[in-house]
């Protein structure tokens, strides 16, 4: 099976551009870097079969907390356009981080500088920081959002794929039931 990965740049820290695309290139995986808001367009035109995102926390009912934008740009859009939305548990539910209710997950507010400035490598190879927003304005930078389990097709764990539900998690992690 041929797989091609579209990688969101992942603003504001650009981890998709600097980390994910690097890892895919390092492993010889076919990929294309896209701007964050291009994913819906690609899904709308039938170029995406599945959306895979990470999860920093997974609740007992299957909600996932991940990088800001996961809820709106990945899960909701995927559901609307008929794509599966899978979440890879970076910290698997077996670590005990699945007992928290969604409403209790603290959402970190990071520095506005991450939004007001971008950082990248210049042609001479040096790292450069450039302001992209006008001075004197305000920027908000919530780091994470929570995607409800009803928008997640499945949770990819070290023990296999589970339905994003209490029953699905219990089927893979019966010792946590």
């Amino acid at each position: 099976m041929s797989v091609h990965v579209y990688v969101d740049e992942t603003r504001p820290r650009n981890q998709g551009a600097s980390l994910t695309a690097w890892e895919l290139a390092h492993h010889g995986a076919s990929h294309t870097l896209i701007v964050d808001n291009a994913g819906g367009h690609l899904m709308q035109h039938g170029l995406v079969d599945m959306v895979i995102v990470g999860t920093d926390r997974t609740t007992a009912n299957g909600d996932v907390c991940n990088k800001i934008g996961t809820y709106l740009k990945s899960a909701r859009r995927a559901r609307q356009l008929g794509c599966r939305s899978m979440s890879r548990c970076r910290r698997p539910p077996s670590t005990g981080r699945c007992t928290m209710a969604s409403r209790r997950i603290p959402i970190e507010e990071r520095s506005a500088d991450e939004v007001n400035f971008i950082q990248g490598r210049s042609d001479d190879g040096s790292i450069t920081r450039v302001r992209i927003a006008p001075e004197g304005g305000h920027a908000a930078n919530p780091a994470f959002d929570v995607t409800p389990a009803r928008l997640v097709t499945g949770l990819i764990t070290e023990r296999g794929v589970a339905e994003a539900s209490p029953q699905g998690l219990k089927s893979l992690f019966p010792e946590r039931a």
Side-chain angles (χ1 to χ4, degrees):
M1 174 194 330
S2 176
V3 174
H4 184 82
V5 179
Y6 289 100
V7 181
D8 281 356
E9 62 187 348
T10 322
R11 284 270 300 143
R13 290 188 173 179
N14 296 317
Q15 299 101 317
S18 61
L19 298 175
T20 307
W22 183 88
E23 288 284 348
L24 290 167
H26 182 72
H27 291 288
S30 175
H31 67 282
T32 302
L33 180 65
I34 60 172
V35 297
D36 275 347
N37 289 322
H41 172 78
L42 297 173
M43 285 184 241
Q44 189 178 39
H45 287 79
L47 298 172
V48 176
D49 299 313
M50 181 186 299
V51 174
I52 300 176
V53 299
T55 178
D56 285 86
R57 291 191 178 186
T58 304
T59 67
N61 71 338
D63 295 345
V64 297
C65 180
N66 191 50
K67 175 84 169 99
I68 193 74
T70 301
Y71 168 68
L72 179 62
K73 294 192 299 189
S74 298
R76 283 200 52 141
R77 193 172 290 155
R79 168 65 71 91
Q80 290 170 341
L81 298 173
C83 295
R84 292 178 290 166
S85 179
M86 306 291 277
S87 189
R88 169 64 179 109
C89 298
R90 187 179 99 195
R91 293 184 181 114
S94 62
T95 64
R97 297 176 76 71
C98 68
T99 57
M100 185 179 290
S102 296
R103 68 186 175 282
R104 293 188 50 218
I105 296 174
I107 302 299
E108 176 186 359
E109 179 74 25
R110 292 186 176 155
S111 170
D113 280 357
E114 290 182 1
V115 177
N116 291 323
F117 294 87
I118 58 171
Q119 181 173 300
R121 191 172 302 281
S122 66
D123 288 341
D124 69 4
S126 64
I127 302 295
T128 303
R129 182 175 175 224
V130 179
R131 177 179 274 283
I132 60 171
E135 289 193 40
H138 298 281
N141 189 14
F144 303 96
D145 59 25
V146 178
T147 300
R150 65 182 163 72
L151 297 177
V152 180
T153 307
L155 299 169
I156 303 168
T157 76
E158 77 275 17
R159 294 188 184 176
V161 177
E163 176 184 305
S165 69
Q167 300 77 18
L169 288 167
K170 287 175 188 174
S171 72
L172 291 182
F173 300 94
E175 71 278 9
R176 309 225 31 78

